[in-house]
């Protein structure tokens, strides 16, 4: 999922670019949709056991874009993409959304924590960025066998702008 760093309601998407050498870049895919984004107003507590439901913790969020909905326990367990969010460095799912006083302000609770290998990244702070990992806005890019274990650089560049110098290193290790 690609989103603006700041909740820019006029953001018009981005191009995912790839490089073999961090010098020469080629477009891999485009995104023209803005995911639901926000920021934490409170700290989501760390939990000692991420393998069970976290029914005690809450985090208050102010949304910059999009909207949030409730999901039952059964819905969360049946579909790993239901209410899937990236908060700080952790990927989690939440079941309950409670509207609070204040425009676009919500309390999230009833969590499945440390999803997709992020159980070591459950430390949070006020201001943590929330990006909903919405299934209809996530794309898969196919790569050939020659890409396995090859170092590649990726960056997302907002459509109509020049790229920043920051990049991320990614090694393809699975099919």
């Amino acid at each position: 999922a690609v989103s603006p760093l700041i909740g820019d309601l006029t953001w018009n998407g981005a191009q995912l670019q790839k490089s073999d050498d961090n010098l020469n870049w080629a477009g891999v895919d485009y995104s023209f949709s803005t995911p639901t984004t926000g920021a934490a107003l409170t700290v989501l507590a760390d939990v000692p056991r991420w393998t069970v439901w976290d029914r005690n913790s809450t985090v208050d969020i102010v949304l910059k874009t999009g909207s949030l909905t409730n999901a039952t326990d059964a819905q969360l367990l049946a579909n790993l993409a239901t209410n899937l969010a990236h908060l700080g460095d952790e990927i989690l799912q939440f079941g309950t959304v409670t509207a609070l006083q204040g425009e676009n302000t919500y309390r999230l609770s009833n969590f499945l924590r440390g999803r997709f290998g992020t159980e070591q990244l459950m430390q949070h702070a006020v201001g943590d960025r929330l990006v909903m990992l919405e299934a209809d806005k996530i794309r898969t890019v196919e790569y050939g066998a020659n890409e396995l274990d090859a170092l590649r650089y990726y960056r997302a560049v907002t459509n109509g702008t020049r790229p920043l110098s920051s990049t991320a290193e990614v090694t393809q290790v699975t099919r």
Side-chain angles (χ1 to χ4, degrees):
V2 179
S3 71
L5 190 54
I6 301 171
D8 181 355
L9 298 178
T10 62
W11 188 70
N12 62 351
Q15 179 186 54
L16 177 65
Q17 297 180 345
K18 175 179 120 175
S19 172
D20 296 340
D21 58 10
N22 202 16
L23 298 172
N24 300 297
W25 295 89
V28 176
D29 198 5
Y30 293 87
S31 171
F32 295 100
S33 60
T34 303
T36 298
T37 61
L41 299 173
T42 59
V43 175
L44 178 60
D46 195 0
V47 291
R49 295 187 60 209
W50 58 272
T51 56
V52 297
W53 288 95
D54 178 1
R55 300 197 192 275
N56 298 319
S57 301
T58 64
V59 63
D60 295 351
I61 300 289
V62 60
L63 285 186
K64 306 292 185 193
T65 59
S67 60
L68 301 172
T69 60
N70 289 303
T72 66
D73 290 359
Q75 288 171 318
L76 294 175
L77 292 172
N79 185 344
L80 292 176
T82 299
N83 283 359
L84 188 66
H86 189 259
L87 179 65
D89 292 326
E90 179 184 3
I91 296 175
L92 52 78
Q93 288 176 276
F94 58 88
T96 305
V97 179
T98 306
L100 300 176
Q101 289 185 344
E103 188 174 344
N104 297 322
T105 305
Y106 302 90
R107 177 165 292 147
L108 307 182
S109 58
N110 198 31
F111 296 100
L112 288 170
R113 305 282 303 271
R115 309 300 269 171
F116 298 96
T118 62
E119 63 274 5
Q120 299 299 318
L121 305 170
M122 296 191 299
Q123 301 76 31
H124 292 279
V126 169
D128 274 357
R129 188 161 179 242
L130 173 85
V131 177
M132 293 301 296
L133 303 176
E134 298 155 307
D136 63 330
K137 295 178 182 163
I138 296 177
R139 304 237 261 292
T140 301
V141 178
E142 299 287 329
Y143 293 103
N146 63 324
E147 298 281 336
L148 293 175
D149 296 321
L151 179 63
R152 299 290 185 253
Y153 299 87
Y154 291 87
R155 66 183 179 193
V157 180
T158 295
N159 292 330
T161 67
R162 293 180 180 208
L164 299 174
S165 61
S166 62
T167 62
E169 292 183 23
V170 176
T171 302
Q172 296 294 120
V173 292
T174 61
R175 292 182 193 256

